[in-house]
Amino acid sequence: MSTSNNGDALSLIELFPQDEDWSLQTMRLLSQVAVGGADLFECARTAGRIGTETTDPEVWQREWTRTATDAAAEGAAALERGENTTARRAFHRSMSYWRHSEFFLDSFDPRRTVAYTEGKKNFQKAAELSGGLIEPIAVPFEGQEMEGYIVRPDNSGEARPTVLFLGGADSWAEELYSLGGTEFPARGMNVVMVDTPGRGSSLRFKEMYSRPDYEVPVAAILDFLEKRSDVDADRFGLAGVSFGGYYAPRAAAFEPRIKAVAAWCGTWSILTDFYEFYPPLQKQLQWLTGSKDDAEARTKLAEFTLDGIADKLKIPVYVMHGTADIIMDIKGAERFVAALTSDDVTVDIYDGAGSLHCSYDYMSVAGARLGDWFLHRI
């Protein structure tokens, strides 16, 4: 076991000093600038229009929607001119801004559906312009389909090691591409991003709610991938970010095809380490579990625990967490690590740079470490 502590002072870009949650979520967006998921100055101009006084979510939604719409218009104009690279980049950014625009809306606000639909549409336009490297997929599951993407390093058709990358409580499959997903193809691996139960299109349009036995949807995805000639079915990895820090270890404990697993944010109990620890996301967690109220959500989320699960993991395990994570309690990560019995456990606890939730402030390093770790283990 190794523990990483870089010792750097925590230095943040807080465009919204009046609201901690607004600032944190915008740093999540800014973390994607390096891979084209956002543009720093588009974000700064949007923040300037919003200002540093208001905390009105209506203003937030209006101004980020404007930026998303402007980026999409730029993409459409570039496409009409035959400038496909410019168009692809603009459509990609538009998706990110649409996702950002809906974050603070109520769960059932119809504008969330509009934002999701527009954002996904623009990412798919970007995928169409990727030269075949980003391919939409649809995985059959319990009479419906889970939609997502496989991203390949090239078009050689070579069977590659493949990492299934699971998002958290509010991420879309599309966002995962720029939230660390590009690191895998850059190292010769495929990455697969799917809207599994409780996320994205599966939650919004199919009432496919989250579930504690996440090995079931993961198995369906692996079954689907095994049939592809560009996937090496003997070399599957599984990574989960945020709430995915529960999903991935839980699934890997019961799925023998997984050769290595990473929890990008460790946890022990979603009820105590997430739901009770960070009340601003309680409504989101109620929605994704299909709960009508707080009491029902608590009952359901009590089953989302790695108690009796962690010690079943005999494959390599990687855990990352930050000491300044206000969304998921680091004590859950510590408890998870203490319960592991694998002979190969790597732990990065970021203090200073990287200590935010999902290391948004250290993405270029944390994402690279995740990619390198899998490169050597699957």
Side-chain angles (χ1 to χ4, degrees):
M1 180 185 297
S2 63
T3 301
S4 173
N5 185 315
N6 55 51
D8 292 339
L10 184 60
S11 181
L12 307 177
I13 302 174
E14 296 188 85
L15 295 180
F16 301 103
Q18 74 272 33
D19 191 291
E20 184 179 39
D21 292 325
W22 282 22
S23 283
L24 178 61
Q25 291 306 318
T26 304
M27 282 186 274
R28 167 179 175 175
L29 179 63
L30 295 176
S31 74
Q32 302 169 35
V33 167
V35 295
D39 177 88
L40 179 61
F41 293 97
E42 285 177 338
C43 293
R45 285 190 288 272
T46 307
R49 295 196 304 267
I50 294 171
T52 58
E53 301 297 328
T54 183
T55 56
D56 184 351
E58 292 295 318
V59 177
W60 172 280
Q61 188 273 338
R62 182 190 70 213
E63 295 304 331
W64 286 109
T65 294
R66 173 180 165 183
T67 303
T69 303
D70 288 349
E74 177 190 332
L79 188 60
E80 189 171 343
R81 296 191 301 266
E83 297 165 352
N84 290 355
T85 298
T86 298
R88 173 175 52 79
R89 291 172 176 171
F91 287 135
H92 183 189
R93 298 197 312 277
S94 178
M95 177 277 298
S96 298
Y97 301 143
W98 276 116
R99 190 210 63 78
H100 203 51
S101 76
E102 57 116 46
F103 190 86
F104 293 106
L105 296 175
D106 290 338
S107 298
F108 297 101
D109 190 313
R111 290 173 295 178
R112 295 197 80 167
T113 299
V114 172
Y116 178 79
T117 302
E118 290 298 315
K120 179 175 181 177
K121 178 178 70 176
N122 286 320
F123 184 81
Q124 290 189 331
K125 289 179 180 177
E128 291 170 5
L129 298 170
S130 72
L133 299 183
I134 306 174
E135 178 189 337
I137 59 175
V139 179
F141 183 64
E142 297 184 347
Q144 300 191 80
E145 289 182 330
M146 298 182 291
E147 300 168 59
Y149 307 87
I150 182 170
V151 185
R152 298 179 294 269
D154 55 43
N155 290 317
S156 67
E158 179 182 345
R160 302 276 188 171
T162 300
V163 176
L164 173 57
F165 191 20
L166 301 175
D170 53 62
S171 63
W172 306 354
E174 292 78 12
E175 186 200 13
L176 291 175
Y177 176 71
S178 44
L179 198 65
T182 60
E183 297 291 350
F184 304 105
R187 290 164 175 76
M189 296 174 277
N190 300 322
V191 64
V192 175
M193 309 162 298
V194 175
D195 279 335
T196 44
R199 299 178 46 250
S201 58
S202 293
L203 172 63
R204 285 167 170 80
F205 305 125
K206 303 170 187 178
E207 296 186 348
M208 198 181 294
Y209 298 115
S210 188
R211 52 196 292 168
D213 57 340
Y214 231 68
E215 65 274 13
V216 179
V218 165
I221 297 168
L222 299 187
D223 291 345
F224 174 86
L225 294 173
E226 280 186 328
K227 300 172 185 176
R228 294 183 60 104
S229 60
D230 55 0
V231 169
D232 185 342
D234 292 323
R235 301 176 71 188
F236 281 127
L238 181 60
V241 62
S242 192
F243 196 146
Y246 165 80
Y247 292 147
R250 163 71 198 215
F254 295 97
E255 177 47 72
R257 288 173 288 186
I258 299 298
K259 300 299 189 291
V261 64
W264 191 347
C265 293
T267 189
W268 184 256
S269 163
I270 292 296
L271 176 59
T272 59
D273 303 335
F274 192 174
Y275 189 83
E276 295 178 347
F277 187 71
Y278 189 64
L281 275 180
Q282 288 183 353
K283 290 293 186 182
Q284 177 74 20
L285 295 176
Q286 290 170 25
W287 181 29
L288 69 85
T289 54
S291 302
K292 65 181 182 296
D293 55 26
D294 173 74
E296 184 177 359
R298 289 176 179 275
T299 298
K300 289 182 176 180
L301 289 171
E303 298 183 51
F304 288 73
T305 175
L306 295 176
D307 188 10
I309 305 298
D311 60 351
K312 297 181 185 298
L313 289 166
K314 305 303 179 185
I315 57 176
V317 181
Y318 184 24
V319 182
M320 299 194 292
H321 212 100
T323 58
D325 191 334
I326 65 169
I327 294 180
M328 294 181 73
D329 192 348
I330 193 172
K331 293 179 182 177
E334 292 168 347
R335 190 172 180 185
F336 172 53
V337 169
L340 290 169
T341 58
S342 168
D343 292 333
D344 185 348
V345 176
T346 303
V347 181
D348 277 338
I349 301 297
Y350 293 113
D351 185 23
S355 60
L356 292 184
H357 183 61
C358 300
S359 300
Y360 297 143
D361 59 318
Y362 209 41
M363 184 67 69
S364 60
V365 173
R369 287 183 179 178
L370 181 70
D372 289 339
W373 186 84
F374 274 105
L375 181 64
H376 298 298
R377 285 169 175 81
I378 64 171

